[in-house]
Amino acid sequence: MLELSNVEVLYSDVILAVKGITLAVPKGSCITLLGGNGAGKSTTLKSISNVLMTEDGKVTSGTISFEGARIDGGDPAKIVRNGIVHVMEGRRVLSHLTVEQNLIAGGHMEPSTQSMRRRLDGVYDRIKRLASLKSRTTGYLSGGEQQMVVIGRALMANPKLIMIDEPSLGLAPMMVDEVFGVLRSLKDDGLTLLIVEQNTRVALDLADFGYVMEDGRIVLEGNAADLRANEDIREFYLGLNLEGERKSYRSIKHYRRRKRWLG
Amino acid sequence: MFDPIDFLNYLINGALVGLLYALIAMGFIVIYRASKVFNFAQGELVVFGGFVVWWMVIQTGLPLVVALPLAMVMSALFGLAIERIFFSRLVGESGFAMVMVTIGLLILIRGLILVLFGPQVRPFPIIFPLKPVIIGDILIPRSLLIGAMITVVVGLGLSWFFNNTRAGLKMTAVAEDHQVALSMGISVKRSIAFAWALGAVLSTLGAIIYLSGKSLNFLASDIGLSALPVALLAGFESIAGVLLAGLIVGAVQGLVTAYVDPVIGGAVGSVFPFVIMLVILFIRPTGMFGWRTIERV
């Protein structure tokens, strides 16, 4: 459904943030993109939605295609219209508006008010919590509630593919479970998901397939189950050693603690 | 001695003038919301609109019913042209650069008006009957009264539009955050273009009410400056708030002009709105109804 091949992203004509990545998101699948800070995960999503445009970045080589058509460098509004919605990192609610106003703004592409209302009811139905928060100003909601608002707002655009950037960022463990519960329900309904996460455990629990990015490159890919079992993932992203116990870092020299990916 | 009828006269007339300021301030606010640009050339847009109306009615001799809508269309096109020529190139530039462009625009439009229409004082067509409305002993200029009604209707209408309709909420999303709006599939450029067109139309509407039956030359742009405290007092995001801010500024200005000016013998009335504005900004930097920075602790 969505294919990236050898995509390179350059910021301000000097900073190469993504150094040629290839990934595929098949229809109906849930893909996760893992990796540490500054690995280029968010930039990859921004290159797909082309929000990159506002940050003086551009795709300098490679192609991005969605349902067979090239979309790299396209108009962000058209990309959303095609069915890709990007939920940006950091719960970017329209903070002075109410929950309902946020959702209505998200449904701006619906052909009529009636169809928008139907969609709105659908969102309230799926994310029950939002229905009771309808008239609250989103800026004052809790982090988890705001995350629900932005996911709901993305659903209002009637997407085929939702790209979501770090939904667990800064949330309490219980809220993380609730947010991922919503994402699971979307997956079960056949929506295609591309999730960027640092919380490797919850992401691999939900996803079918994962990519690991480091320094602008994809260094590892595989089925979620394989990744969960992978020695390096266990050690460096899940914090487990081979026996499944927590590792004591006191016994190792600090420079060996971090995995160095060569390639 | 103090005469309650005089007092009411000053109060009501002041409030009506304040609502006229509010209409001009709406132009500021509509443009600011969408493009985050404080448009210093707003007063020039008013004068431009005024001259377009003058040219169509007095020079070309079109009847008012044709000339006024046509003038609105022309000013909308003028707003669109400004956006396309100057501001669509500046997307992503600093706010400071854009504000400097509006100052350049101020000088440019002023020059353009002098070249196109000349420096002479022109008679502006009488759009609203000159006969004042008289209620008891209170005398109200008809143009201001009708203008105030138009302002209230337009203000409440726009406020409803921006808060309830899908098209309006789209514009409000742009006002909140360009990048988020973009990620939601909203065309930020189109929203900004629409805001400029709307800002120019509001200015022309303001010109019609302000200038009806008066004379017109390029100095009429001073009304842009008078509207400034109203916009700041209301806060730059609130359309409905600007109505109340206009009433307050206008009423206070009217009373101060009537009672303080003769005593001091100076133009306290024209300074006072700015004093109110400064005091309010000390207490509430985002104005009375502007978007306050939401901080969660």
Side-chain angles (χ1 to χ4, degrees), chain A residues 27-31 85 87 119 122-127 130 147-164 167 178-195 206 208:
Chain A
K27 197 172 172 57
S29 64
C30 174
I31 307 292
V85 178
V87 178
R119 195 141 269 289
V123 169
Y124 284 145
D125 214 35
R126 183 184 297 277
I127 311 175
L130 290 185
Q147 191 64 54
M148 300 293 186
V149 172
V150 290
I151 293 174
R153 196 176 66 196
L155 288 174
M156 289 298 292
N158 195 13
K160 296 173 193 154
L161 164 67
I162 295 187
M163 306 191 291
I164 179 161
E178 199 172 326
V179 169
F180 272 81
V182 171
L183 294 180
R184 184 174 293 282
S185 82
L186 294 176
K187 181 191 173 192
D188 292 343
D189 285 358
L191 207 67
T192 314
L193 296 172
L194 175 56
I195 304 173
L206 178 66
D208 311 315

Side-chain angles (χ1 to χ4, degrees), chain A residues 204-226:
Chain A
L204 285 178
D205 276 347
L206 178 66
D208 311 315
F209 197 90
Y211 293 88
V212 179
M213 273 186 91
E214 206 64 55
D215 194 24
R217 293 189 178 85
I218 287 175
V219 290
L220 194 64
E221 60 181 85
N223 290 322
D226 295 345

Side-chain angles (χ1 to χ4, degrees), chain A residues 51 53-55 76-77 80 86 88 92 94-97 101 104-108 110-113 116 139-143 146 153, chain B residues 91-92 162-167 169-170 172-174 176-187 190 291-296:
Chain A
V51 180
M53 194 174 93
T54 59
E55 297 177 344
V80 177
H86 181 186
M88 279 192 293
R92 303 274 286 271
L94 303 170
S95 54
H96 298 92
L97 303 187
Q101 285 175 321
I104 294 174
H108 68 92
E110 286 295 319
S112 70
T113 313
M116 188 274 295
Y140 294 113
L141 297 179
S142 78
Q146 291 184 337
R153 196 176 66 196
Chain B
V91 171
F162 282 126
N163 285 312
N164 295 289
T165 66
R166 276 181 300 157
L169 282 169
K170 229 160 99 169
T172 309
V174 172
E176 282 257 8
D177 191 327
H178 285 184
Q179 200 180 32
V180 171
L182 216 55
S183 82
M184 291 163 62
I186 296 167
S187 170
R190 209 174 301 163
W291 282 343
R292 307 167 73 179
T293 320
I294 293 183
E295 262 182 85
R296 294 166 62 244

Side-chain angles (χ1 to χ4, degrees), chain A residues 35-36 200 212-214 232-239 258 261:
Chain A
T200 310
V212 179
M213 273 186 91
E214 206 64 55
D232 289 331
I233 295 281
R234 289 171 68 82
E235 178 158 358
F236 297 106
Y237 293 100
L238 297 172
R258 186 110 184 95
W261 302 95

